[in-house]
Amino acid sequence: MRLIIIGPQASGKGTQASMLAKEMGLSHLSMGEKLRQEAASGSRLGHQIKERIDKGELVPNELVEKMTKRLIKESNGKFILDGFPRNEEQARFLDLITPIDHVIQLKVSDKTAVERIGGRRECPKGHDYHVFYKPPKKEGVCDVDGLPLHRRADDTSAAIMKRLQTYHNRTEPVLAHYKGKVLDINGEQGIRDVHFAILKALHKR
Ligand code: AMP
């Protein structure tokens, strides 16, 4: 199964992609996560990436396209892509390297996205939490590796507004590219309900 998951910031893409990956034996290919790892490495490229991410801007296509090609090659053709494609050029690039079975669209309003982002927390290795919706067992500490949790550097109000704008202007039009393959999911429900809604939609196909 080759899936894409698309949705605005804090729609639950990362959470749902990792649940589906575990359950269906897929590789979870998270572009944002890979970019944050590179940014944290302190390399020159990492600095350039970090600057873009922190401002809420997209990083250059050429870079993410190269990374996606490599990740897909390593995935044995069973994957869920989270954070790619984010514009039409990237979608056309993806056409050249792999077919896609379904595109899961997580729908949440801008109001919900902004509210959710305020409670989002992450550990340095990228495990994500939410203070209300997905709290860690011990406050401020990652369940998986015991590392301290922090807010993402790009979860500032200015960057959030910019990212939502970019989502509506650049990423939403990508859905038309996948006409007939898009599964619309109400992302405003609780985590488990969203998960079951996705499974139901996939099984109907
Ligand atoms: P995410 O964790 O998916 O919200 O991604 C965080 C940030 O990484 C985005 O706001 C962009 O700056 C960058 N990014 C992630 N995926 C892409 C992509 N496909 N193209 C360009 N920039 C991306």
Side-chain angles (χ1 to χ4, degrees):
M1 181 90 75
R2 289 152 301 204
L3 303 175
I4 293 174
I5 189 159
I6 289 186
Q9 287 62 45
S11 57
K13 274 184 304 174
T15 301
Q16 296 298 332
S18 102
M19 287 166 88
L20 286 173
K22 246 186 233 152
E23 197 158 314
M24 301 174 67
L26 310 173
S27 300
H28 175 192
L29 311 181
S30 165
M31 193 46 56
E33 201 39 56
K34 290 284 161 207
L35 291 171
R36 280 189 290 279
Q37 278 168 9
E38 183 66 43
S41 75
S43 67
R44 222 177 108 169
L45 179 64
H47 281 299
Q48 289 165 2
I49 291 173
K50 184 168 172 9
E51 216 174 294
R52 295 279 187 123
I53 291 182
D54 288 355
K55 279 197 218 150
E57 292 170 1
L58 295 183
V59 307
N61 283 344
E62 199 189 271
L63 176 72
V64 283
E65 287 171 359
K66 218 192 261 173
M67 286 167 82
T68 302
K69 191 171 179 183
R70 182 168 47 79
L71 290 171
I72 288 182
K73 212 167 159 193
E74 290 165 2
S75 73
N76 290 333
K78 289 168 80 183
F79 58 80
I80 178 158
L81 258 178
D82 158 13
F84 191 96
R86 263 181 149 103
N87 58 37
E88 302 223 30
E89 297 80 23
Q90 293 178 10
R92 282 198 292 272
F93 174 84
L94 194 59
D95 286 344
L96 302 176
I97 54 175
T98 180
I100 292 296
D101 299 308
H102 305 291
V103 176
I104 299 160
Q105 183 194 12
L106 288 183
K107 289 178 141 177
V108 303
S109 65
D110 286 4
K111 187 168 166 277
T112 301
V114 170
E115 278 168 12
R116 284 185 182 176
I117 284 171
R120 196 145 83 159
R121 300 289 181 273
E122 190 178 74
C123 90
K125 291 194 178 162
H127 300 116
D128 56 339
Y129 299 88
H130 192 282
V131 291
F132 301 125
Y133 307 115
K134 194 184 167 192
K137 291 193 184 88
K138 187 172 169 209
E139 197 187 323
V141 179
C142 178
D143 292 345
V144 184
D145 45 40
L147 295 169
L149 302 181
H150 56 80
R151 282 189 75 158
R152 268 170 52 171
D154 58 343
D155 280 352
T156 60
S157 332
I160 291 163
M161 295 325 289
K162 176 109 195 184
R163 284 154 70 204
L164 283 172
Q165 203 181 17
T166 305
Y167 178 76
H168 294 307
N169 296 340
R170 313 273 322 269
T171 308
E172 252 169 9
V174 165
L175 291 161
H177 189 88
Y178 295 106
K179 215 164 159 226
K181 294 188 176 179
V182 180
L183 311 174
D184 282 330
I185 305 293
N186 172 9
E188 305 246 355
Q189 317 169 76
I191 292 174
R192 292 215 64 77
D193 290 335
V194 174
H195 179 62
F196 289 129
I198 295 173
L199 290 179
K200 200 167 145 197
L202 284 172
H203 286 137
K204 266 198 206 151
R205 291 296 174 117

